[in-house]
Amino acid sequence: MPEFDNLNYSWSCRIVNQLYNFGVRTVCISPGSRNTPLTLAFLEHGQYNCVSHIDERSGAFFALGVSMQTQNPVAILSTSGTATANILSAVIEASQSRIPLIVLTADRPSYLIGTGANQTIVQKDIYGYYVRSFKDLGLPLDEMNSLDSSIHNALQMATGINWNNDLVSPQGPVHLNIPFEEPLYSSDRTKDNLEIEITKQFPLSVAVEAEIEIPVSNFPIIVCGRLAVGFNTAAIIELSSYLNAPIFADPLSQLRYGEKHPNIVSTYDHFLKLQNISPDLVIRFGLKPVSKILCEKLDKWNEFSILVDQCGRFNDDCNLVLSEKIETAVEFIKSKTKSSNVAWRDTILNIDSQTRNEINNKHLNCWFEGSIAKTCFESLDDRDSFFIGNSMPIRDVDMFVMAFPKKVQTYSNRGASGIDGIVSSALGVASKSNGNILLLIGDLSFYHDMNGLLAASRYNLNLTIVVVNNSGGGIFSFLPISNEKGSSFDEFWSTSHNLDFSHTAKLYGCNYIKVDSLPSLQEALSESKKSKGINIIEAVIDINENVKQHRVISNALKQFNQS
């Protein structure tokens, strides 16, 4: 029988070295027995930022946040069995958001599957459609060339980058399943620091559509959905100026905040319901926007829409896709189009300005979720980071935090828009950020990922969390089903919880304060900048009053547009 203990360790060192040579610098490790050889290899490599997470789900979402902030692949390591299943939700989010994660799952030997052996499940393809590639590496061998090839291929799929350093396919998660035979390791193992020479392979291919024709246009608009921090937004501004095209800028576009250009529009979620806006050319950048009404309009405008995406078509139904780098795409579009009449642009900008003034001057000085979102943003400084939770927080930011020249980097788990793992993702961003970082999150979402707070205390992370506590799923109060108020609605939709989050703060050693007004929130946010660690600000909201204020604003805008 081979000496599996030393072979397991050499195999693991080879994997760890390969990952490092491809740019992986952070690994999130959850405890277990079967993953011990890999855990030792990561710890003894000496160059990794190894982060321990008791909960695999929180660890995976933390890795997601690190990758979001650094734009580099991050590894996740788990033991075998149901531990692997806990990573699925983060894998789905990474896939939809194009975030490179390297999921390493330890496993039992294949001959134990179906035998009733403890902690043994079928781990092959456990993440299904949501990984760019899956590979079972098999039991360790003395000959490691096949291992090298498997890791090279997986990492190319994760990063989407070929050997010319061009992005040729969508980034995303990959899964390497790594079985080990017992004994798992030896106490007298020899550290393997073998340098790995990466052999050049053929670049990945991506389906590129034939050259497209740009529709003749007199009324163009640009729509920017979610874009990664660091994206070249200057090219979008250049195209907007050339075409005289207004830019409908999503709060996650990295354009709404930090740019002073007058063409940026941010109140479309309000005025598209009231004004007949009829463009004849829509140029899109980034993922689909947050705004429901804007997405509905994009469906109607799809016939004359173009999506600029270097990777080609991925998870999008846009009529035409221009598969080029943004700089090349902008020059191509400029060569095929001409400037539109400034009257079209000015009409849109005037509607945006009037809508902004109506909302800011008359409706954001009372206590509701929209004013909370605006107050949170106003507390941030240039180069700070704003992580925005799903459900109502991201919608409140979209509706009530207008374009502003202060440069704030925005993050959110909008790939699949789940409410799980958001605390951990925000902490992942915080672990690599220099400035202040603020998380705006709903109470149910906070409850879903309270486990993630443990990483903050273990690694001395700094984060301010504003928890909007409306005692349940407040977003459902805007649905038609809410008209059928009663015990069933409360139990199965709004899910009132009556939790006191001060106990959560005490359990995880966080600073805590409860607020119920804009002045008290402003003061708490100001004080949080002076406190290290995790600052939890619980903002208590009456959901019925919140719905009422939304309707007041909606009705006021209707009357304003009819006058």
Side-chain angles (χ1 to χ4, degrees):
M1 173 179 272
E3 295 182 3
F4 282 110
D5 48 4
N6 287 321
L7 188 55
N8 288 341
Y9 184 67
S10 296
W11 189 257
S12 297
C13 286
R14 188 83 168 203
I15 294 169
V16 167
N17 283 336
Q18 290 278 25
L19 295 178
Y20 187 83
N21 286 348
F22 267 88
V24 179
R25 294 294 181 269
T26 298
V27 56
C28 294
I29 302 173
S30 293
S33 173
R34 191 63 52 164
N35 58 336
T36 294
L38 279 164
T39 300
L40 288 170
F42 275 115
L43 293 175
E44 295 176 357
H45 181 276
Q47 299 298 316
Y48 276 93
N49 175 28
C50 298
V51 188
S52 172
H53 293 272
I54 295 174
D55 177 358
E56 285 84 6
R57 186 184 73 168
S58 293
F61 275 104
F62 185 98
L64 191 94
V66 173
S67 186
M68 258 190 224
Q69 206 283 333
T70 63
Q71 305 294 304
N72 289 321
V74 176
I76 302 163
L77 174 60
S78 83
T79 191
S80 60
T82 59
T84 64
N86 284 298
I87 299 171
L88 175 59
S89 52
V91 165
I92 293 173
E93 176 61 34
S95 177
Q96 303 298 84
S97 291
R98 308 189 190 190
I99 295 172
L101 296 181
I102 317 299
V103 182
L104 309 172
T105 57
D107 200 358
R108 262 78 172 155
S110 60
Y111 65 78
L112 292 178
I113 294 174
T115 67
N118 183 51
Q119 205 170 316
T120 302
I121 66 171
V122 178
Q123 295 178 193
K124 178 182 178 181
D125 292 321
I126 193 169
Y127 306 120
Y129 171 83
Y130 294 102
V131 288
R132 301 291 184 264
S133 84
F134 165 79
K135 179 69 176 179
D136 188 295
L137 298 183
L139 289 172
L141 302 170
D142 289 316
E143 196 281 313
M144 299 188 184
N145 288 335
S146 62
L147 174 64
D148 295 345
S149 178
S150 295
I151 296 174
H152 293 175
N153 292 336
L155 285 164
Q156 280 191 294
M157 293 297 292
T159 59
I161 296 173
N162 67 14
W163 292 101
N164 294 320
N165 205 33
D166 292 325
L167 183 66
V168 294
S169 62
Q171 297 182 322
V174 296
H175 177 201
L176 295 173
N177 194 60
I178 310 169
F180 292 111
E181 182 66 273
E182 293 182 330
L184 295 172
Y185 72 100
S186 170
S187 58
D188 62 353
R189 62 192 173 276
T190 302
K191 185 176 179 181
D192 184 355
N193 271 326
L194 179 64
E195 292 293 329
I196 308 298
E197 180 181 353
I198 301 175
T199 56
K200 189 168 183 176
Q201 300 179 27
F202 291 108
L204 299 172
S205 62
V206 61
V208 179
E209 299 180 25
E211 182 175 325
I212 63 176
E213 291 295 325
I214 308 295
V216 176
S217 167
N218 293 306
F219 311 110
I221 65 170
I222 294 172
V223 175
C224 288
R226 174 181 174 180
L227 294 168
V229 170
F231 189 87
N232 179 19
T233 56
I236 301 174
I237 296 290
E238 176 189 342
L239 181 62
S240 170
S241 298
Y242 173 80
L243 294 177
N244 291 318
I247 303 173
F248 288 29
D250 186 88
L252 301 173
S253 67
Q254 316 307 326
L255 264 165
R256 186 183 286 197
Y257 312 121
E259 298 288 351
K260 299 180 181 180
H261 201 278
N263 287 4
I264 295 174
V265 173
S266 57
T267 65
Y268 49 80
D269 190 78
H270 300 284
F271 69 69
L272 284 177
K273 302 168 187 173
L274 306 168
Q275 297 279 350
N276 182 24
I277 305 298
S278 299
D280 57 6
L281 174 62
V282 179
I283 303 171
R284 290 181 46 213
F285 297 89
L287 306 186
K288 287 283 183 74
V290 168
S291 169
K292 182 178 180 179
I293 183 64
L294 179 53
C295 286
E296 290 174 352
K297 293 291 185 180
L298 289 177
D299 288 340
K300 294 180 180 179
W301 301 335
N302 196 27
E303 181 182 351
F304 43 84
S305 294
I306 299 171
L307 172 65
V308 176
D309 193 322
Q310 183 178 348
C311 298
R313 186 182 300 280
F314 174 78
N315 194 33
D316 202 292
D317 60 352
C318 190
N319 181 46
L320 296 174
V321 179
L322 186 55
S323 307
E324 300 284 354
K325 291 182 179 179
I326 182 171
E327 298 84 0
T328 305
V330 165
E331 289 305 313
F332 174 76
I333 294 171
K334 286 168 62 178
S335 72
K336 300 289 185 179
T337 56
K338 58 183 179 63
S339 299
S340 66
N341 193 314
V342 295
W344 158 257
R345 178 203 63 191
D346 291 346
T347 297
I348 304 292
L349 297 183
N350 186 51
I351 294 171
D352 179 60
S353 176
Q354 291 180 351
T355 306
R356 174 206 295 256
N357 291 337
E358 174 71 13
I359 294 173
N360 281 343
N361 296 339
K362 298 181 181 179
H363 300 288
L364 293 183
N365 56 359
C366 61
W367 182 243
F368 81 114
E369 293 182 19
S371 60
I372 290 174
K374 182 172 182 287
T375 301
C376 286
F377 177 84
E378 290 174 343
S379 74
L380 295 167
D381 299 321
D382 267 330
R383 302 298 167 182
D384 283 350
S385 297
F386 192 16
F387 203 107
I388 309 162
N390 285 319
S391 196
M392 281 308 296
I394 188 62
R395 290 172 171 83
D396 286 321
V397 172
D398 190 30
M399 289 186 286
F400 301 113
V401 184
M402 318 302 185
F404 197 82
K406 178 168 55 179
K407 185 63 176 177
V408 172
Q409 297 175 334
T410 52
Y411 302 85
S412 188
N413 287 349
R414 289 301 293 174
S417 302
I419 65 169
D420 46 353
I422 290 174
V423 171
S424 295
S425 291
L427 287 169
V429 172
S431 72
K432 299 298 181 180
S433 297
N434 294 322
N436 297 315
I437 176 167
L438 173 64
L439 167 62
L440 176 64
I441 190 171
D443 50 347
L444 291 187
S445 188
F446 182 70
Y447 165 77
H448 259 275
D449 197 25
M450 291 188 296
N451 285 357
L453 292 170
L454 186 60
S457 59
R458 297 179 78 181
Y459 293 101
N460 299 315
L461 302 179
N462 300 313
L463 175 67
T464 294
I465 305 174
V466 175
V467 182
V468 179
N469 187 354
N470 51 34
S471 192
I475 193 171
F476 299 113
S477 296
F478 291 90
L479 298 179
I481 189 65
S482 66
N483 296 324
E484 302 182 26
K485 292 283 189 181
S487 58
S488 294
F489 178 80
D490 290 340
E491 183 176 0
F492 293 102
W493 279 274
S494 64
T495 55
S496 300
H497 52 74
N498 298 317
L499 293 174
D500 183 347
F501 290 120
S502 66
H503 300 304
T504 305
K506 184 176 181 180
L507 177 64
Y508 291 102
C510 307
N511 303 312
Y512 171 85
I513 187 171
K514 182 180 288 187
V515 298
D516 58 5
S517 68
L518 289 181
S520 60
L521 174 60
Q522 290 165 346
E523 182 179 358
L525 288 166
S526 178
E527 288 298 314
S528 71
K529 294 182 179 181
K530 306 172 187 177
S531 302
K532 297 291 186 181
I534 303 299
N535 297 283
I536 298 174
I537 302 172
E538 183 178 353
V540 180
I541 286 288
D542 183 307
I543 189 57
N544 295 318
E545 289 299 315
N546 185 66
V547 173
K548 179 180 177 180
Q549 183 60 20
H550 273 264
R551 289 173 178 163
V552 165
I553 295 172
S554 179
N555 291 331
L557 289 174
K558 285 180 183 178
Q559 295 175 10
F560 174 76
N561 279 272
Q562 292 170 357
S563 61

